[in-house]
Amino acid sequence: MGNKIINIGDVKVGTGEKILIAGPCAVESKEQIFEVAKTLSRSGVKFLRGGVFKPRTSPHSFQGLGEEGLLYLNEAAKMYGMITVSEIMSTEELKKHGNDIDVIQVGARNMYNYSLLRELGKLDKPILLKRGFSATYQEWALAAEYIIKGGNDRVILCERGIRTFERGLRFTLDISAVPYMKKLTGLPVIVDPSHAAGERWVIPSLSKAALAVGADGVMVEVHPSPENALSDGKQSLVLNDFDNFYSDIKGLLGE
Ligand code: PEP
Ligand code: MN
């Protein structure tokens, strides 16, 4: 299968130009997302992530700001000329808010949500399809097929760690998934080391490994004060240190 190139604005995903997606796990306030967008855009990051509909393991945890958060995310992206990446969890959310997100993320817990995948297949919009944490390569590729079969072939795959016997880190980053899924599907594959590791200190190493093995980009979580984050603070890079991280991996991004 040939390598698929996906155009998003003036960015071509799947070429030598590797993408960097960064932002908080969740949009928490207008101030927070504006601060993050300002710093990231100054470094040259084009993609701003920020969850507003959050698939939390516990129903008692912060569930995201919803519509209000999406408004802030879009205002910040517009102000700093960035492309938004955010998760949609259901067909109902998609109907209401699909138009307000540039790149729609399907989270690990929703990789098997076939009615959602089918609806995403009807859009002319890039989809970031995360790997379910117990999904095989085949299952993941077939989930992508659901979207493609509907007519939308703008799918980017995202390896975000799988569940194994190992308990040292939150999940196990399956680095083999990058070359394997690129070969199997021809689609671009990016890596999310933040959810794979669950701890900040290992993110630079895993990002470098991902890019070295041929990933088309990485997605990382960043927060102005991770100790106060409403979700995933432990794995979020400190915003003030972002430039260090960026210069560390810049060479591998092809910049
Ligand atoms: C996320 O990216 O915010 C997220 C919830 O990731 P995952 O679906 O991979 O757990
Ligand atoms: Mn998160």
Side-chain angles (χ1 to χ4, degrees), residues 129-146:
L129 178 63
K130 287 192 147 194
R131 181 185 188 180
F133 37 74
S134 63
T136 64
Y137 294 151
Q138 197 61 33
E139 287 168 338
W140 188 15
L142 288 170
E145 284 282 315
Y146 264 91

Side-chain angles (χ1 to χ4, degrees), residues 65-240:
L65 290 184
E67 206 167 327
E68 185 190 351
L70 197 50
L71 203 72
Y72 300 154
L73 178 68
N74 275 310
E75 283 177 7
K78 194 165 171 210
M79 168 82 115
Y80 295 102
M82 300 177 83
I83 297 162
T84 59
V85 181
S86 200
E87 176 165 357
I88 286 283
M89 297 194 294
S90 66
T91 50
E92 291 78 14
E93 280 172 11
L94 181 62
K95 230 174 261 154
K96 270 177 120 172
H97 306 294
N99 284 334
D100 302 327
I101 301 171
D102 296 324
V103 180
I104 297 181
Q105 175 174 319
V106 178
R109 292 159 187 81
N110 262 315
M111 192 210 82
Y112 293 106
N113 184 342
Y114 298 124
S115 40
L116 176 61
L117 299 179
R118 248 187 242 114
E119 288 304 311
L120 292 168
K122 297 177 185 164
L123 307 181
D124 178 19
K125 203 178 254 292
I127 310 297
L128 185 63
L129 178 63
K130 287 192 147 194
R131 181 185 188 180
F133 37 74
S134 63
T136 64
Y137 294 151
Q138 197 61 33
E139 287 168 338
W140 188 15
L142 288 170
E145 284 282 315
Y146 264 91
I147 303 170
I148 294 166
K149 189 168 183 268
N152 183 2
D153 63 355
R154 300 171 75 193
V155 180
I156 301 167
L157 301 174
C158 179
E159 160 63 33
R160 48 78 71 215
I162 53 172
R163 191 159 271 164
T164 68
F165 56 83
E166 181 52 59
R167 288 284 164 271
L169 292 167
R170 190 176 179 188
F171 292 92
T172 300
L173 180 64
D174 177 11
I175 209 77
S176 309
V178 177
Y180 193 96
M181 292 302 284
K182 281 173 76 82
K183 184 163 181 275
L184 179 66
T185 66
L187 297 170
V189 180
I190 70 163
V191 167
D192 167 358
S194 303
H195 290 88
E199 293 182 30
R200 176 179 316 124
W201 63 273
V202 75
I203 308 301
S205 307
L206 297 185
S207 301
K208 284 186 260 184
L211 295 168
V213 83
D216 295 288
V218 291
M219 174 161 82
V220 294
E221 287 185 339
V222 178
H223 196 284
S225 56
E227 67 284 5
N228 299 315
L230 298 179
S231 62
D232 289 348
K234 252 176 71 185
Q235 68 197 34
S236 298
L237 298 171
V238 182
L239 188 62
N240 274 341

Side-chain angles (χ1 to χ4, degrees), residues 16-48:
E17 182 185 2
K18 301 186 180 226
I19 60 168
L20 178 56
I21 304 173
C25 177
V27 176
E28 297 174 359
S29 67
K30 188 167 176 171
E31 294 67 34
Q32 174 232 28
I33 194 67
F34 268 74
E35 189 181 347
V36 172
K38 185 179 173 185
T39 305
L40 295 178
S41 64
R42 213 176 36 204
S43 301
V45 178
K46 294 181 179 163
F47 292 86
L48 179 65

